[in-house]
Structures are given as C-alpha cells and as structure tokens.
Amino acid sequence: MVNEEIPKEVWGTQIRKGLADLAVLTLLARESTYGSDLVSRLAAHPALAMASGTVYPLLNRLKAAGLLSTRWQESPLGPPRKYYSLTPEGNRALEAMRASWKDVVTDLTNILEES
Amino acid sequence: MTGSESLGERAAHTWWAPANPRLFLPRALGIGWDLNFGAVAVKLGLIEPDAENVPFESTPDSAFRLAAVLPVACAAATIAHYGVRGRSLPEELPSNWGLTGNVTRKTSKRVAAWADLGLTVLPAGLACWAASHRDTPGPERAGLVATGTMLATVGAATTVLRSLPNPEKKRWWIGPALLKAAFVPVGATLLGLALAGRAAEIERDLATND
C-alpha cells in the first residue's frame, strides 16, 4: 500500500527489484551486450535505472541459474569485453516472465480502473 | 557461500567478490567482517566486476606457483634472519605493542624465533601445497595461497619489528605497518590471480571466436 510514510523512491525501488530480471533479460534478448553498456541502456529508462553494483550481481545470479552465457569479444575501442547472451533456457524463462507480466498488468489495470 | 565449501573456497569468496559492491563481507571463519579485496579493486578501476565467470576457476597453474613465491620468500628471509642475526639479538624481544607503538610485553628470543618461524614456514608450506595441487579447485587454491600469504607476511613483518634497534622507542607507525603487511600483499596476490584468470578466459574465448 502506498501512503505518506512510503516515499515515491522507496516504492519505485521495490517495483524495480521485482522487474529487474525481466528488464535485463528483455534487453539481452534484443542484443547481446557487456555489463557497463547494459547499465547505460537501463539508465536510459529512469524508472528502471540500476547502479552497476546492482546489475553485476544480478547478471551473476542469472548466469548461475543457466539463463545467461558469457563470452569475451574484441572491442573496437580498448580491451576485450565480456558479452552476455540469453541461453535457450533464458529465452524460455523470458517468455514465461513476459506472459506473467502481461497478466499482472491486465489485472492491475482492471483493479485501478475499478477504484 | 554454501555449506559444502571448503575453508579455502570460503576465504576466496569472502576476500574476492568483485561483483559485490560491499567492501566488507561476513567472515569466512568466525564472527565479524573481512575486507572484500575484489570490491576494492573494482573501485580502484583495476579489474571489471565480471572479469571472471567464477573467480580463480580459470587461473593457470603458473599464476598459482608465482603467487606462492612471496610466502616462501618471507619464510626464507625469516629463517635467514634468525640464522644469521640470531646470536646477536637481545635475549628478550618485543612480543606486543600498544596503540602508540610502544612495546608493552617482551618474550624470550627462543619463543619469539619459534613463533616467527612457525608463522612464516607453515603458511609458506600451505601456499606451496595449494599452488602445486592442480586437481584442487581454483577458488580453494586461491583461498589457501591468500591465507598463507597473509600469515607469512605478518610473520615476516613481526620478525622485522622485533629486531628494530632501541625497542623502547615509541613508533606510531608499527600498527599501520602491520596492517599494511596483512592486507596489501594478500590483496595484490588475489588481484594477480584474478587478472591471470581473466587473461586465460579472454584467450580461450577469443580463440574459439576465430
């Protein structure tokens, strides 16, 4: 429940925590990329912006769960970079998350409109 | 950390967790916190948070052998010190210092020598054992080498501090020097092992990309 005792940023953080996996997997499904680029891409969406201290442990966790794979690749600028990609299992997890997210949005929209 | 991890693996995971931004993590053994050297290295821009898939898993044998050189050198220097200068040292040597660097307790030369030799030779042996056991998982080897390095460098530093002339003189820098001896070499060792692991991962991945 949102009330005056829960500032907007705290509420936003709680939502971000729940949706971080979905946001990261969706961005990586579009295109493989490296950690700092992923942080920049998330920063382009202020509601989903996360610090690198949040993103890297999250990537580690998704990798340990078998949803991501990594590979070093040469960079045209500077040293090689570690790129993250979705594994087949990651793609399946993303599909399931998307379906759940659509259900949540539909149901929550209905509740908000009713009120 | 998991319950099935060996002490060496737990030490490595506590001391080197670059993806975790927290500078202090719960200790591998006992209560309290340990410094997360991985987070320090990331903050100093020395390594990426995701430089290795699993820290030290890809670190080559040659890096572990090289890392064991420092504790062995500390042990050799301590043996040489007591072998060469032992007879000329006072019969009593400092064994404890206060916060301001003043000597608060002394012990016999024999006890001091055995303590310093034990604190350098045994850890050096531990580091050598870990460096030479190829079948042992990398994180465990790194944890054991780091533990051996920390103990051996503290032992060698204590040997030097005991042997300073005018032991009654207050030396404010003794505490910081011991802390530096405990943390800087082990941090540098872990960073070196992680950079070697990173280089091995890059070499492997770029080779298969071609």
Side-chain angles (χ1 to χ4, degrees), chain B residues 5-207:
Chain B
E5 285 181 329
S6 68
L7 181 60
E9 284 173 309
R10 283 161 60 195
H13 292 162
T14 306
W15 282 342
W16 193 262
N20 189 336
R22 291 182 185 173
L23 286 176
F24 295 96
L25 295 175
R27 296 195 74 161
L29 184 66
I31 56 170
W33 286 267
D34 273 328
L35 180 61
N36 176 6
F37 293 99
V40 175
V42 168
K43 284 186 195 304
L44 292 174
L46 300 174
I47 200 166
E48 304 92 340
D50 58 348
E52 297 171 280
N53 283 339
V54 176
F56 312 119
E57 204 171 70
S58 303
T59 302
D61 283 322
S62 56
F64 284 111
R65 286 198 297 272
L66 186 63
V69 168
L70 178 59
V72 168
C74 289
T78 305
I79 293 169
H81 169 78
Y82 281 108
V84 174
R85 289 193 60 199
R87 287 177 193 276
S88 62
L89 291 171
E91 284 309 309
E92 283 200 319
L93 293 172
S95 64
N96 204 40
W97 291 267
L99 285 175
T100 54
N102 56 313
V103 175
T104 55
R105 205 179 307 154
K106 287 187 172 184
T107 189
S108 71
K109 182 163 64 179
R110 180 181 292 268
V111 170
W114 279 114
D116 291 348
L117 289 169
L119 200 54
T120 51
V121 173
L122 295 178
L126 179 71
C128 285
W129 181 89
S132 61
H133 272 66
R134 294 180 174 203
D135 296 338
T136 305
E140 184 173 354
R141 295 171 83 185
L144 294 175
V145 168
T147 303
T149 300
M150 181 177 269
L151 293 173
T153 52
V154 168
T158 307
T159 305
V160 171
L161 295 176
R162 285 190 212 277
S163 310
L164 292 172
N166 305 324
E168 307 308 328
K169 188 177 168 186
K170 280 187 182 177
R171 295 179 169 96
W172 63 266
W173 47 264
I174 281 182
L178 274 173
L179 283 176
K180 204 183 273 186
F183 289 105
V184 174
V186 74
T189 296
L190 289 167
L191 175 64
L193 291 173
L195 287 173
R198 173 185 182 274
E201 276 194 17
I202 291 175
E203 196 178 323
R204 179 198 65 204
D205 286 0
L206 295 186

Side-chain angles (χ1 to χ4, degrees), chain A:
Chain A
M1 185 191 295
V2 183
N3 58 35
E4 287 177 359
E5 290 172 2
I6 303 179
K8 187 186 168 195
E9 58 266 30
V10 173
W11 175 243
T13 302
Q14 286 177 352
I15 294 178
R16 264 200 301 278
K17 272 185 187 170
L19 298 176
D21 290 15
L22 177 58
V24 166
L25 289 175
T26 303
L27 286 174
L28 290 174
R30 278 189 213 155
E31 190 183 2
S32 299
T33 190
Y34 50 95
S36 59
D37 184 52
L38 193 59
V39 173
S40 304
R41 288 183 190 205
L42 287 166
H45 307 277
L48 292 169
M50 286 179 259
S52 59
T54 304
V55 172
Y56 283 106
L58 190 153
L59 289 170
N60 250 0
R61 185 168 51 76
L62 295 175
K63 186 153 58 68
L67 306 185
L68 297 179
S69 62
T70 58
R71 178 168 286 276
W72 285 92
Q73 288 183 23
E74 291 284 10
S75 162
L77 303 166
R81 287 166 170 158
K82 182 176 271 186
Y83 278 70
Y84 291 82
S85 313
L86 258 65
T87 60
E89 201 177 330
N91 273 311
R92 283 194 293 275
L94 178 58
E95 286 310 311
M97 283 183 196
R98 278 180 173 164
S100 298
W101 171 242
K102 281 178 186 166
D103 291 344
V104 168
V105 170
T106 304
D107 289 348
L108 190 60
T109 304
N110 289 339
I111 290 172
L112 290 171
E113 284 175 356
E114 283 168 14
S115 62

